[in-house]
């Protein structure tokens, strides 16, 4: 009964509001030639040819050492549909037979957990990214060795008990081979305790410190505290900031904010950090307390639902858009619905930017969304994250073969995975941080929204030298 209820809720997630303004902004962000987005492409062209790319010197990155390390890491990832760390052939990436999966074969069942439907939601659109990926895998990439993939969802709304129930359901269902996770902050510890290592869990971006210490987990793009630390590198090297203000949502973002603030402290940049409850109707008070109107860089560490509230307070206080440095959570249709357009801020993103058609890995992704009628989700980072982690798990399952999938086998695939990561950073080092064995990525790139589109402000950057996550 529990799983049937979740399947009903999952089906309800498959509604997507068409936001005319979002489509217009996406078209502008992707360039002047509408054909570049691939919206009119035939379905069979969703897997593009592998191309070789050159990051060049016009990205705005200011660290020669970082450029060299990124190039070296990217170059080592050639093959399997990638060139210099960029995956352009998605069918080759997942390693399936291509074409449609055979519906007469037994499905490969994958559990899915996310925090959705309650008082605190980090991302509901992550659900859609997983669903879009599964539809693509089943219709164009041959599923898992010809077997269709079936998602078994279990969503946490408000309680630890719901996380425990999801863990028990997945652990006790022998047909579920692995679990894909969205960003959860409630019930996470209870989920892992109940799952008890019975299944491998794949994350894209984690917002909970509980995820990154689990031995049966791979956090592909990275934990929030780690991938926000490069904000300090960008603020110093590109923006030239000498002071900073940070406000964060205390219920969901305390660990992420601590990691981000520690990066500025490692660089010797004075930073004021102020929290606020998610119930706060107005954010002018915490912004004033953090000295935001006088700071060189102002950073919100918030959820998607808080983006409009932050932007309204920022504008009320007269804080210039160019001083704001945000994560990509505000690049969602809900922001456009609330503000009429994306704010002209600087954005850090640990993945590809879904509207950057100059990134060779992005047009195939855009074509898949267009083929499914989902163009308004192009810039939404959580859709991309859910999509990418699903394709990566599919790669590991295809490597094992549908008849030889075991938890031990998937964990071995995790341990051996060095990339390239579809729609991800070229630098991937699972196990780099002893205190966070599940962590794989910690690099972030930066864009500025100009009102007409996104301009890349820097290539992928690492955390500052000497940065450590606060204990």
């Amino acid at each position: 009964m529990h799983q049937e209820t979740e399947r009903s809720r999952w089906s309800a997630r498959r509604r997507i509001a068409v936001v005319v303004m979002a489509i217009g902004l996406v078209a502008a962000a992707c360039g002047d030639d509408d054909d570049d987005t691939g919206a009119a492409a035939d379905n069979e062209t969703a897997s593009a040819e592998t191309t070789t790319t050159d990051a060049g010197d016009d990205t705005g990155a200011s660290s020669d050492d970082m450029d060299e390390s990124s190039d070296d890491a990217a170059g080592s990832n050639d093959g399997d549909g990638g060139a210099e760390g960029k995956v352009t052939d998605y069918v080759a990436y997942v390693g399936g037979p291509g074409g449609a999966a055979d519906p007469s074969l037994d499905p490969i069942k994958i559990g899915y957990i996310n925090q959705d439907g309650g008082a605190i939601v980090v991302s509901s659109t992550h659900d859609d990214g997983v669903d879009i990926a599964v539809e693509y895998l089943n219709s164009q990439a041959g599923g898992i060795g010809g077997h269709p993939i079936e998602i078994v969802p279990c969503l946490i709304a408000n309680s630890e008990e719901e996380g425990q129930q999801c863990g028990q359901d997945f652990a006790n269902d022998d047909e579920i081979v692995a679990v894909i996770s969205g960003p959860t902050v409630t019930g996470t510890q209870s989920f892992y305790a109940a799952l008890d290592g019975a299944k491998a869990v794949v994350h894209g971006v984690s917002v909970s410190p509980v995820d990154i210490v689990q031995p049966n987990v791979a956090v592909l793009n990275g934990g929030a505290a780690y991938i926000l630390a490069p904000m300090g590198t960008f603020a110093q090297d590109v923006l030239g900031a000498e002071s900073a203000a940070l406000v964060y949502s205390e219920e969901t973002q305390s660990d992420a904010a601590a990691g981000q603030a520690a990066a500025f402290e490692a660089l010797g940049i004075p930073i004021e950090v102020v929290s606020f409850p998610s119930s706060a109707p107005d954010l002018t008070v915490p912004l004033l307390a953090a000295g935001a109107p006088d700071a060189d860089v102002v950073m919100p560490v918030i959820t998607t639902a808080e983006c409009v509230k932050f932007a309204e307070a920022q504008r009320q206080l007269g804080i210039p858009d160019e001083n704001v440095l945000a994560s990509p959570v505000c690049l969602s249709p809900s922001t456009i619905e609330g503000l009429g357009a994306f704010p002209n801020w600087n954005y850090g993103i640990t993945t590809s930017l879904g509207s950057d058609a100059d990134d060779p890995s992005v047009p195939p992704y855009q074509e898949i969304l267009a083929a499914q009628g989902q163009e308004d989700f192009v810039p939404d980072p959580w859709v991309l994250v859910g999509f990418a982690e699903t394709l990566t798990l599919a790669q590991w399952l295809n490597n094992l073969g549908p008849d030889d999938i075991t938890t031990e086998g998937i964990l071995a695939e995790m341990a051996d995975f060095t990339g390239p990561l579809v729609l991800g950073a070229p630098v991937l080092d699972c196990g780099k941080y002893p205190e966070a064995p599940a962590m794989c990525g910690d690099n972030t790139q930066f864009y500025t929204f100009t009102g007409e589109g996104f301009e890349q402000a820097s290539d992928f950057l690492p955390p500052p030298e000497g940065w450590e996550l606060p204990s």
Side-chain angles (χ1 to χ4, degrees):
M1 180 64 69
H2 178 74
Q3 288 185 355
E4 290 302 320
T5 300
E6 296 304 339
R7 288 192 182 100
S8 299
R9 290 169 64 187
W10 176 261
S11 297
R13 281 289 312 129
R14 291 294 298 139
R15 79 286 179 269
I16 298 176
V18 177
V19 183
V20 176
M21 180 63 75
I23 296 173
L25 285 172
V26 168
C30 293
D32 295 331
D33 185 353
D34 290 341
D35 291 339
D36 288 345
T37 66
D42 294 334
N43 288 353
E44 63 265 23
T45 65
S47 296
E49 294 297 322
T50 299
T51 60
T52 301
T53 63
D54 185 358
D57 295 327
D58 59 353
T59 61
S62 59
S63 171
D64 292 338
D65 292 341
M66 182 56 204
D67 289 342
E68 291 175 5
S69 64
S70 294
D71 289 343
D72 291 342
S76 68
N77 286 334
D78 290 351
D80 295 329
E84 293 193 357
K86 297 293 186 181
V87 177
T88 57
D89 186 334
Y90 289 2
V91 171
Y93 181 80
V94 301
D102 186 346
S104 69
L105 297 178
D106 291 337
I108 303 296
K109 294 185 178 181
I110 299 171
Y112 176 69
I113 185 171
N114 193 22
Q115 187 160 347
D116 204 351
I120 297 175
V121 177
V122 179
S123 171
S124 59
T125 56
H126 185 281
D127 305 352
D128 298 284
V130 173
D131 208 17
I132 290 166
V134 170
E135 185 171 335
Y136 167 73
L137 290 165
N138 286 341
S139 64
Q140 295 181 255
I144 306 301
H147 290 249
I149 299 169
E150 179 182 327
I151 293 294
V152 180
C154 190
L155 304 180
I156 300 171
N158 294 305
S159 71
E160 289 292 324
E161 290 75 17
E162 290 171 311
Q164 180 183 40
Q165 184 65 58
C166 290
Q168 291 173 347
D169 287 350
F170 292 160
N172 295 330
D173 190 336
D174 292 337
E175 293 186 346
I176 292 177
V177 300
V179 178
I180 294 170
S181 181
T184 64
V185 293
T186 302
T188 309
Q189 183 72 61
S190 299
F191 167 74
Y192 286 118
L195 188 66
D196 195 25
K199 305 290 165 71
V201 181
V202 184
H203 271 274
V205 174
S206 163
V207 299
S208 171
V210 178
D211 297 316
I212 61 177
V213 299
Q214 303 300 320
N216 60 319
V217 173
V219 183
L220 297 174
N221 299 99
Y226 294 80
I227 59 179
L228 290 177
M231 295 277 193
T233 308
F234 177 77
Q236 181 185 69
D237 294 353
V238 180
L239 299 182
E242 296 182 355
S243 62
L246 185 153
V247 296
Y248 70 93
S249 178
E250 61 191 24
E251 291 92 344
T252 62
Q253 304 296 322
S254 59
D255 292 290
Q260 187 168 335
F264 284 78
E265 293 166 357
L267 291 168
I269 299 175
I271 182 170
E272 292 292 335
V273 180
V274 175
S275 68
F276 63 87
S278 60
S279 59
D282 175 37
L283 299 187
T284 56
V285 172
L287 280 169
L288 287 170
D294 299 318
D296 292 337
V297 61
V298 179
M299 298 173 292
V301 185
I302 55 180
T303 66
T304 299
E306 294 161 337
C307 292
V308 172
K309 188 162 51 176
F310 173 86
E312 290 173 342
Q314 170 230 334
R315 293 173 180 178
Q316 183 178 340
L317 294 173
I319 298 169
D321 279 353
E322 59 265 28
N323 287 10
V324 178
L325 177 54
S327 77
V329 299
C330 295
L331 299 179
S332 69
S334 64
T335 301
I336 295 176
E337 291 171 359
L339 299 176
F342 293 134
N344 292 7
W345 299 340
N346 301 295
Y347 296 89
I349 182 168
T350 189
T351 65
S352 295
L353 181 65
S355 57
D356 182 8
D358 290 333
D359 179 335
S361 66
V362 167
Y365 172 68
Q366 294 174 339
E367 290 165 10
I368 291 167
L369 293 185
Q372 296 187 29
Q374 314 294 1
E375 294 97 326
D376 58 316
F377 272 161
V378 165
D380 189 312
W382 282 115
V383 177
L384 185 149
V385 167
F387 177 90
E389 68 188 276
T390 305
L391 261 61
T392 302
L393 175 59
Q395 178 190 122
W396 299 341
L397 299 180
N398 272 314
N399 287 346
L400 296 171
D403 297 326
D404 295 305
I405 296 173
T406 63
T407 296
E408 291 75 15
I410 298 171
L411 292 176
E413 289 289 326
M414 283 182 176
D416 292 341
F417 186 66
T418 58
L421 177 62
V422 63
L423 295 165
V427 178
L428 193 71
D429 187 1
C430 301
K432 174 181 177 179
Y433 295 96
E435 77 278 9
M439 275 276 301
C440 292
D442 65 356
N443 275 226
T444 297
Q445 64 178 331
F446 295 85
Y447 286 82
T448 301
F449 189 68
T450 67
E452 296 181 353
F454 292 91
E455 294 183 354
Q456 190 171 21
S458 86
D459 204 343
F460 281 98
L461 300 174
E465 186 176 352
W467 171 84
E468 292 182 357
L469 187 67
S471 58

